[in-house]
Amino acid sequence: MRIVREVDAAPDLDTALNIIVHRTREVMATDVCTVYFTDHEQRQHVFAATDGLSLDLVGHIKAGFGRGLIGQVADSSRPVNLAEVPEELDQEFLSQSGSDRYHGFLGVPVLHKRRVQGVLLVRQRTARRFDDADEAFLTTLAAHLGSAIAFARANGEMCTLCRAGTGRQRCFTGLPGAPGIGIGKGIVLFAADLQAVPDRVPEDPATEEHRLREAVSSVREEITRIAGSLEKSLSPADRALFDAYVFMLDSPEIVDAVVQRIHAGNWAPGALRQTVESHAQRFDLMDDRYLRERATDIRELGTRILLRLQDASTSLASCPPDSILIGRQISAIDIGSVPPGHLHGIISTEGSTLSHAAIVAHAIGVPAVVGVTDLPIAVLDGQELVVDGNNGQIHLWPDPTLQRAFAARVEEERQLSESLSVLRDLPARTPDGVEFSLYTNTSLAVDLSLATASDSAGIGLFRSELPFMLYDRFPTEQEQVSLYRQALKAVAPRPVNLRTLDAGGDKPLPYLRLAEPNPALGSRGIRLTLDHPDIFLTQLRAALRANIGLGNLRLLLPMISDVDDLEQALGVLNRAEQQLDEEGYAITHPEVGIMVEVPSAIYQLDRLVRHVDFLSVGTNDLAQYLLATDRNNPRVSMRLDHCHPALLHALQQIAQTSKDAEKPVTVCGEMANDPGCALLLLGMGFDGLSLSASALPRVKWAIRGIPAMHMRAMAERALQLERPELVHQLLEQTLQDTRLESRPDLSHR
Ligand code: PEP
Ligand code: MG
């Protein structure tokens, strides 16, 4: 809809609202169109914009929650369509506005994330029954506007506050990514995302101008070169596109405008973003489809220039010591690039609790909040922030009281970790003498050092795909040998469960782009490696070679769905072993296990388990597939609850099947990081857990506080419950009853 495009292109909230009311009134041929904003704090809806009524009413008419027509629309979360409004229902509006009566009324709620953001309504002087098409139009518009208003509201207010230089404390809610509190200053990562580029005051405008001109001329050269090399294969129409690009680069409108903005006080990337957006928006608003497409060209060109500018401007290696990384997505590589100790927090607008960035953050003990969909990241650069990874909240410009409160909590956490460190040399043994194995999950050198330093029983999950992501091509066999040997040596003689490449899905390799409509259900994990036996064979050969003389390698196969998958994978392993034998390497056959994370594996587990030495349950994917809930989608991730009864029953079945087959089984999903869930899993019969090094001390402390027979009783009770919240309550209650909310009990050693 054109109206939605216009709103998206609006520079601020007021403009956006005015567009909404004018265009809706025009399209629906009504007498009045009004938007109310919901003020949740004051529990009222405030008249925010109108076309058809006096503008003096803006901000003055207020409809209390649950009262009158507006209250009815907001409360019912449904359209209210009345040909003839009963006078008493509109009394509040009539008395506050002093207006004459309107008879026809159609109002729809504007919702965002299930929360009412406001009400969009139209009124008619005469009686009018708005028809189904009117209702559908207004509802469609409101659905689009929900997020636009939420974002514009945040963005608009924030920009004004940033310009004024004095921030009023703000709180944004996302999802808990990794626990802990981090206090520091925002560093926005914008990669090739022009819209995310922050404004910054340039140190030297002349240098910025120079950088810009260099970048533009390098893009011009690139485009001319590409056009030249494609000359024969391009039609005249396609060639014209390249000419148009060069024309735009040469036109003073763009380059001069960026230069002007640089000299007005913005650095080159920020000035580029402002200029490109203002040009592109003009095209966005055009009715002609061809002309509208030109907005895409301008943005594409802007992105290319940005990439050139960026080479010189972002180096995470020089991040200040209190950095909070902010971006649409923060990759594990970004996290690993910040010097140890300099990273105080991570914020991303995409992703969810089980995204890999969150998992890596957890592994290295850095608080993270993910999926903060409404966060206008571009304005957060250099701003004071608190990342509350426990509650999934971000506090912007915390006032001194809040800062002190959070600083006290950081200190408490530090003291708790210190007191837990005395558990290091003690076993994960219950008071009634049952001992469990606690392994650590790892993937990168940063968390490898933590895993080794901690008192874990070994590495229960080495995510081998993350080092693969560091390269711009597949690592060679020799490169992989060094990588795996480093990990094997670091924990020897304790075992390392090296999981074979689990790329694909939300862990794409930059050099192996698979355009799949539904990557989580596509070619990932073992499916990908079986389709590329060369890659798989190289990895297995490298792992076997790295293990020579150490003998602590165990191979773990991800995403096994059935016996065929497993037999084929074992066939490739067999080939790798034969080859290496023939080449004279003194290799030994490692133990092999599978990840139980695809629901079909549960129902064939009695068969699968016969072919392997151990099992490891990936609850992250198991929950995703069992509950049909994308682990990376913040819109639905609140449904991804590890205490969901369906998941608990599946886990119980896995534990029982492994026990019957007398094969060890551990859990390596994020669920194991939570002390309550950890007790539940051990109570169900799992032999051990593999978790983040940073979560291990707390889980060990919980194990040492509760007898194994109580864990079993708790698991039995949990399996009777029919809702996740009830299971959470039970876990909390159990921890409280055993006084685990207090300091660690070190009495029984
Ligand atoms: C899992 O799925 O639970 C798991 C441990 O693997 P990953 O999170 O790497 O997919
Ligand atoms: Mg998995």
Side-chain angles (χ1 to χ4, degrees):
M1 273 201 274
R2 179 178 160 164
I3 174 166
V4 173
R5 284 202 309 276
E6 288 179 354
V7 171
D8 285 347
D12 55 47
L13 184 57
D14 284 346
T15 319
L17 287 173
N18 283 327
I19 295 169
I20 295 166
V21 290
H22 290 315
R23 302 277 291 116
T24 305
R25 186 179 169 208
E26 197 178 280
V27 172
M28 295 184 68
T30 61
D31 293 319
V32 169
C33 176
T34 302
V35 174
Y36 279 77
F37 263 9
T38 303
D39 179 344
H40 290 275
E41 268 167 38
Q42 302 292 326
R43 298 185 51 74
Q44 60 188 8
H45 310 282
V46 184
F47 192 101
T50 188
D51 189 356
L53 289 167
S54 162
L55 289 180
D56 293 343
L57 301 177
V58 171
H60 294 295
I61 296 194
K62 296 180 179 142
F65 274 19
R67 292 219 302 267
L69 269 175
I70 311 301
Q72 206 178 83
V73 178
D75 286 355
S76 65
S77 286
R78 302 194 54 242
V80 172
N81 187 353
L82 300 172
E84 182 64 63
V85 176
E87 193 169 351
E88 63 281 7
L89 208 56
D90 220 9
Q91 207 48 57
E92 203 172 23
F93 164 73
L94 294 174
S95 65
Q96 289 185 57
S97 65
S99 145
D100 290 337
R101 272 187 69 188
Y102 285 85
H103 294 265
F105 176 94
L106 172 61
V108 297
V110 178
L111 301 165
H112 179 61
K113 290 190 182 169
R114 297 189 184 185
R115 207 163 188 227
V116 179
Q117 295 286 326
V119 171
L120 171 62
L121 63 93
V122 287
R123 290 177 180 273
Q124 200 73 24
R125 279 215 173 282
T126 50
R128 170 173 171 183
R129 155 67 64 182
F130 289 96
D131 63 20
D132 287 354
D134 292 326
E135 218 175 273
F137 173 80
L138 215 55
T139 305
T140 312
L141 193 55
H144 280 278
L145 295 181
S147 52
I149 289 183
F151 185 81
R153 202 182 207 179
N155 205 11
E157 285 174 22
M158 306 241 318
C159 290
T160 316
L161 290 170
C162 283
R163 273 197 294 273
T166 54
R168 185 165 51 91
Q169 187 172 303
R170 296 286 312 265
C171 175
F172 293 88
T173 302
L175 302 161
I181 309 284
I183 304 177
K185 287 219 172 75
I187 296 205
V188 174
L189 299 187
F190 44 88
D193 180 2
L194 198 59
Q195 279 192 335
V197 171
D199 292 331
R200 279 182 197 160
V201 178
E203 272 175 27
D204 175 18
T207 317
E208 289 301 285
E209 178 179 342
H210 180 69
R211 271 187 347 114
L212 173 81
R213 292 199 186 276
E214 295 262 287
V216 169
S217 96
S218 137
V219 172
R220 187 192 295 108
E221 264 169 41
E222 185 194 20
I223 292 175
T224 316
R225 188 169 34 76
I226 298 173
S229 67
L230 295 176
E231 186 152 17
K232 291 210 179 69
S233 39
L234 287 182
S235 69
D238 294 336
R239 253 197 327 267
L241 178 67
F242 285 90
D243 293 344
Y245 277 161
V246 174
F247 179 76
M248 280 194 262
L249 285 173
D250 287 338
S251 85
E253 264 190 55
I254 295 202
V255 178
D256 287 1
V258 183
V259 170
Q260 261 179 25
R261 288 189 161 103
I262 290 175
H263 289 283
N266 207 346
W267 69 326
L272 178 72
R273 187 206 74 237
Q274 291 176 321
T275 309
V276 166
E277 271 316 302
S278 91
H279 275 66
Q281 277 168 13
R282 270 191 254 152
F283 285 99
D284 274 336
L285 299 181
M286 298 195 173
D287 277 330
D288 183 290
R289 237 180 111 188
Y290 175 80
L291 289 175
R292 257 196 341 261
E293 276 302 306
R294 302 293 62 82
T296 316
D297 295 343
I298 293 176
R299 291 196 173 100
E300 160 72 20
L301 208 53
T303 306
R304 288 195 166 269
I305 302 173
L306 177 69
L307 282 169
R308 293 295 189 296
L309 283 172
Q310 220 181 337
D311 295 342
S313 52
T314 41
S315 168
L316 290 177
S318 56
C319 271
D322 61 345
S323 301
I324 291 182
L325 288 190
I326 307 169
R328 273 173 48 186
Q329 280 185 338
I330 305 289
S331 73
I333 311 300
D334 296 328
I335 298 172
S337 311
V338 180
H342 285 209
L343 190 56
H344 283 205
I346 290 166
I347 302 171
S348 69
T349 53
E350 294 177 3
S352 81
T353 310
L354 294 180
S355 308
H356 283 86
I359 291 174
V360 174
H362 204 145
I364 59 171
V366 171
V369 177
V370 295
V372 202
T373 41
D374 302 326
L375 196 67
I377 46 179
V379 298
L380 299 183
D381 200 56
Q383 305 294 327
E384 297 260 358
L385 293 159
V386 172
V387 177
D388 179 352
N390 303 326
N391 296 307
Q393 287 186 326
I394 295 156
H395 299 272
L396 175 63
W397 306 310
D399 67 20
T401 320
L402 198 69
Q403 273 196 28
R404 273 196 302 278
F406 277 114
R409 279 178 56 193
V410 172
E411 179 52 22
E412 254 176 46
E413 290 277 322
R414 197 195 56 74
Q415 284 181 13
L416 180 62
S417 304
E418 216 173 82
S419 61
L420 288 174
S421 69
V422 297
L423 296 178
R424 174 159 300 172
D425 300 321
L426 304 178
R429 188 188 299 140
T430 62
D432 53 350
V434 180
E435 202 162 316
F436 294 104
S437 304
L438 296 184
Y439 302 88
T440 37
N441 292 346
T442 183
S443 49
L444 290 169
V446 252
D447 52 341
L448 188 59
S449 55
L450 283 171
T452 342
S454 85
D455 51 339
S456 77
I459 296 179
L461 173 63
F462 180 91
R463 290 184 162 96
S464 72
E465 57 280 1
L466 291 181
F468 270 66
M469 291 161 133
L470 285 170
Y471 288 80
D472 53 9
R473 53 168 170 76
F474 282 105
T476 64
E477 182 173 318
Q478 191 51 47
E479 282 166 340
Q480 291 188 53
V481 172
S482 321
L483 242 144
Y484 304 150
R485 193 153 179 91
Q486 189 195 357
L488 290 166
K489 248 178 143 171
V491 288
R494 295 170 288 166
V496 173
N497 291 349
L498 189 141
R499 184 175 70 184
T500 62
L501 190 62
D502 186 18
D506 69 323
K507 290 173 287 185
L509 295 178
Y511 42 89
L512 185 70
R513 289 257 172 243
L514 304 168
E516 293 183 295
N518 200 345
L521 300 181
S523 177
R524 62 165 288 203
I526 204 74
R527 302 170 179 189
L528 181 82
T529 42
L530 287 176
D531 285 348
H532 293 270
D534 47 336
I535 297 166
F536 196 25
L537 197 65
T538 307
Q539 185 178 33
L540 292 173
R541 284 176 53 100
L544 292 166
R545 283 179 53 196
N547 191 35
I548 295 173
L550 291 169
N552 57 336
L553 170 75
R554 306 196 326 166
L555 288 171
L556 186 53
L557 305 169
M559 294 289 292
I560 295 285
S561 319
D562 51 35
V563 177
D564 266 354
D565 279 351
L566 179 54
E567 280 184 347
Q568 285 178 41
L570 293 176
V572 183
L573 174 61
N574 198 267
R575 255 170 65 203
E577 289 178 331
Q578 268 178 14
Q579 284 180 1
L580 292 170
D581 265 342
E582 285 165 17
E583 289 166 32
Y585 287 103
I587 54 151
T588 46
H589 178 71
E591 286 192 2
V592 179
I594 56 166
M595 296 277 298
V596 185
E597 53 185 347
V598 178
S600 62
I602 302 175
Y603 301 100
Q604 292 195 296
L605 206 55
D606 54 342
R607 299 297 162 123
L608 290 165
V609 77
R610 293 182 199 167
H611 301 265
V612 293
D613 303 297
F614 66 96
L615 301 172
S616 184
V617 186
T619 45
N620 305 340
D621 278 313
L622 188 56
Q624 150 162 277
Y625 295 126
L626 206 57
L627 305 176
T629 302
D630 182 348
R631 63 191 272 188
N632 286 299
N633 181 348
R635 278 179 199 275
V636 291
S637 64
M638 61 284 197
R639 296 172 166 271
L640 208 59
D641 194 320
H642 281 129
C643 290
H644 195 291
L647 183 64
L648 299 189
H649 283 277
L651 288 167
Q652 164 69 25
Q653 191 171 330
I654 297 168
Q656 190 56 50
T657 311
S658 330
K659 199 168 176 191
D660 294 345
E662 296 180 3
K663 295 277 167 77
V665 61
T666 51
V667 172
C668 65
E670 294 303 288
M671 179 179 185
N673 287 325
D674 179 277
C677 289
L679 299 180
L680 178 62
L681 290 167
L682 298 174
M684 278 183 185
F686 286 94
D687 302 298
L689 306 170
S690 187
L691 59 163
S692 302
S694 60
L696 191 141
R698 233 171 262 232
V699 168
K700 189 195 275 190
W701 163 39
I703 292 173
R704 291 178 60 82
I706 176 167
M709 52 188 270
H710 288 186
M711 288 184 200
R712 286 195 286 274
M714 177 181 78
E716 263 167 39
R717 279 181 56 202
L719 285 161
Q720 311 287 323
L721 300 171
E722 60 181 29
R723 281 203 200 91
E725 320 71 272
L726 299 177
V727 179
H728 284 291
Q729 277 167 21
L730 173 68
L731 300 186
E732 258 161 50
Q733 193 58 50
T734 310
L735 291 176
Q736 270 172 28
D737 290 350
T738 42
R739 289 184 293 126
L740 281 172
E741 83 287 9
S742 60
R743 292 290 149 130
D745 176 9
L746 306 175
S747 52
H748 61 282
R749 294 200 167 200

